[in-house]
Amino acid sequence: MAASLAHDAAGPGREAILQQRPWGFEPRAITAPVALWHSRNDEDVPFGTAEIIAQRIPTATLHVQDEAGHEPSPASAQAAIQFLLKG
């Protein structure tokens, strides 16, 4: 947390701006398969945020990462790599 708040919280501030400004496309227009992995116990990003994103992308599948935390577990990372290799 201390590292993310360094430099007068410029990182979290920049992240908030990026999340709120237009992305230049509508998530509902995505036609490629999308896979998301998220932990219900992520202390940085609420699980509900991942659910909202998944609902807005018609081709999205939300996978629940069993292990807690913000970083991908080895199993989630391996699943993501396998998903990318299929495409």
Side-chain angles (χ1 to χ4, degrees), residues 34-73:
V34 174
L36 306 168
W37 282 264
H38 203 83
S39 172
R40 291 189 187 278
N41 298 313
D42 187 328
E43 294 180 358
D44 296 328
V45 179
F47 189 77
T49 301
E51 291 178 308
I52 290 168
I53 295 297
Q55 290 169 359
R56 292 183 180 176
I57 302 172
T59 58
T61 302
L62 177 58
H63 303 273
V64 178
Q65 175 177 289
D66 292 328
E67 296 82 5
H70 185 67
E71 300 297 323
S73 68

Side-chain angles (χ1 to χ4, degrees), residues 11-32:
R14 188 171 32 252
E15 182 73 17
I17 291 168
L18 290 172
Q19 289 177 13
Q20 298 303 315
R21 72 178 182 192
W23 291 0
F25 66 94
E26 289 294 328
R28 68 178 173 265
I30 297 172
T31 58

